[in-house]
Amino acid sequence: MTGDGSRNKLHEGKAKIVWDAGDGTYVVEFKDDATAFDGKKRGRIRDKGRCNNLISAALFELLEREGVPTHYVRTLSDREMVVVPLEIVMVEVVVRNVAAGSLAKRLGLEEGVPVAPPVLELYYKSDALGDPMINRYHVRALGLASDEEMDRIEALALRVNDVLSRAMADCDLRLIDFKLEFGRARDGRILLGDEISPDTCRFWDAATNEKLDKDRFRRDLGGVEDAYEQVLRRVTAAAPTWRAARPAVSGPAQARVYITLKKTVLDPQGAAVENALKALGYGEVSGVRVGKVIILDLAEASPERVEEMSRRLLANPVIEDFTFEIVRGTGARSHSVPV
Ligand code: TMP
């Protein structure tokens, strides 16, 4: 029990404390404590807890609007958020757009070299073992998650990358890489958990490539507090535009799901159309992919459910990519989520 006796401390980690609020929700408290290299390096970053809480809240809100279900419920205070209880999947998912950190080291790449398409990596969440890198076979052998759960987790992680990369560009930041954790809600749904902050992401200034994340602490670069404040200021400034630009769609709506073969899959129809266009003199055409559109009339439009329908039935995720938009009324409100 805490001092006020009203909630139970469930877990204290390196950067956060999780409390049972006693009403079916948990409260996450963000600390100023910082560790690196499996806890071997320790320190405190003044106001990190506040920055990480408020940055995470803004980014979780944005992701929810974009159809990524998260554990975030609401902000309780500068350092605390209310979340949905999750059984954490013990797999950390890292997505990388630019070589940095352990990827640069492991593959001998210079930091700053773009990696495309984005690289997704899995790590076994185990402090005792130092979070070793694993793959889908290890996940299966260790029974960490089902194949279906991992398909969902990987699709969501790549979607988070699309949404956050765009959002960070609004903040004049480059999203270099980041780490996500997912969990199972009581109803079995997979939700994005943990935090999204300079502790768990690499953010570089878009103009100068200055590091504005925990690497300043890991590598003793100085100016750590300023970097976290800087990211919070930029995210806070951009958040109202995200809310205005991407309103949640409620009431009757139409979903349009666009399905194409994955870029890595041969598309003979697309190739034939491309050749025919070029033969007709349209030399500017550098690629054609032929797909289909599925139009769904819905009483209530939840991006998450449209994504689920697309993934489970409409598209074949093994060979096809899909994107969708949800249009309400005259189509003035459009919601597009690349997957
Ligand atoms: P890495 O390059 O050190 O493997 O880190 C990849 C990303 O994951 C980077 O954005 C920082 C984040 N990360 C964590 O959130 N927790 C960790 O323990 C580590 C090692 C990295």
Side-chain angles (χ1 to χ4, degrees):
M1 285 288 184
T2 54
D4 62 31
S6 62
R7 59 189 199 188
N8 254 322
K9 194 194 258 194
L10 292 174
H11 174 73
E12 177 152 5
K14 287 176 287 194
K16 297 186 287 293
I17 303 174
V18 182
W19 306 87
D20 185 344
D23 61 358
T25 65
Y26 287 175
V27 172
V28 178
E29 179 185 339
F30 289 74
K31 304 195 288 186
D32 286 351
D33 299 344
T35 66
F37 315 118
D38 294 324
K40 287 186 205 79
K41 181 182 176 111
R42 287 170 179 278
R44 277 174 73 78
I45 300 172
R46 185 178 31 83
D47 261 358
K48 172 169 89 78
R50 181 176 62 85
C51 292
N52 284 0
N53 180 42
L54 300 177
I55 293 166
S56 294
L59 298 180
F60 281 139
E61 267 179 38
L62 166 69
L63 289 165
E64 285 278 353
R65 304 181 84 77
E66 294 284 4
V68 176
T70 79
H71 71 158
Y72 174 77
V73 177
R74 67 191 162 86
T75 302
L76 190 60
S77 73
D78 266 7
R79 287 171 178 276
E80 298 164 305
M81 62 170 63
V82 179
V83 301
V84 174
L86 292 182
E87 180 200 340
I88 292 292
V89 174
M90 299 305 269
V91 177
E92 298 188 350
V93 183
V94 169
V95 180
R96 303 176 184 269
N97 299 302
V98 174
S102 69
L103 178 77
K105 208 164 158 186
R106 192 180 325 114
L107 299 188
L109 297 171
E110 199 184 324
E111 270 211 335
V113 176
V115 287
V119 169
L120 185 149
E121 297 170 344
L122 306 176
Y123 293 85
Y124 181 25
K125 187 172 156 61
S126 161
D127 279 344
L129 299 174
D131 298 343
M133 195 184 198
I134 54 174
N135 64 30
R136 292 281 292 262
Y137 289 83
H138 299 107
V139 172
R140 243 173 257 135
L142 295 173
L144 302 178
S146 69
D147 278 354
E148 201 191 13
E149 285 176 329
M150 287 309 297
D151 287 345
R152 172 81 170 139
I153 285 171
E154 292 190 359
L156 285 173
L158 294 175
R159 191 123 128 248
V160 169
N161 188 41
D162 286 338
V163 173
L164 286 191
S165 292
R166 271 187 277 128
M168 289 304 115
D170 296 339
C171 302
D172 293 320
L173 291 171
R174 293 174 71 198
L175 180 62
I176 304 302
D177 55 30
F178 56 92
K179 186 259 314 186
L180 301 177
E181 295 182 25
F182 294 86
R184 303 173 189 95
R186 291 208 172 104
D187 61 6
R189 281 192 318 147
I190 293 285
L191 306 185
L192 177 61
D194 197 46
E195 64 180 282
I196 306 176
S197 73
D199 268 16
T200 61
C201 306
R202 286 195 172 93
F203 298 125
W204 293 2
D205 181 88
T208 65
N209 279 335
E210 186 190 0
K211 294 176 181 14
L212 294 174
D213 55 57
K214 195 173 163 188
D215 271 349
R216 302 205 74 83
F217 169 77
R218 294 188 190 100
R219 303 178 190 190
D220 296 320
L221 299 176
V224 190
E225 286 87 357
D226 284 351
Y228 280 71
E229 288 287 353
Q230 184 69 236
V231 173
L232 174 60
R233 260 202 301 278
R234 295 189 196 191
V235 166
T236 306
T241 66
W242 299 334
R243 277 179 215 123
R246 302 185 183 100
V249 177
S250 65
Q254 193 173 75
R256 298 174 193 155
V257 183
Y258 302 91
I259 298 170
T260 52
L261 286 169
K262 277 189 192 297
K263 291 214 173 67
T264 47
V265 174
L266 201 62
D267 176 2
Q269 215 183 337
V273 173
E274 181 179 345
N275 289 338
L277 283 170
K278 282 185 178 147
L280 287 172
Y282 298 104
E284 72 269 33
V285 177
S286 61
V288 175
R289 307 202 68 76
V290 173
K292 61 188 170 192
V293 184
I294 298 176
I295 296 172
L296 307 169
D297 289 318
L298 302 162
E300 190 69 42
S302 143
E304 192 203 343
R305 288 177 67 80
V306 173
E307 191 274 341
E308 203 176 282
M309 289 185 242
S310 305
R311 183 174 41 80
R312 291 183 65 189
L313 184 77
L314 305 179
N316 175 353
V318 178
I319 56 164
E320 291 172 329
D321 281 331
F322 64 87
T323 63
F324 63 83
E325 59 181 352
I326 295 174
V327 185
R328 194 174 91 132
T330 59
R333 286 164 151 217
S334 165
H335 181 115
S336 174
V337 183
V339 172

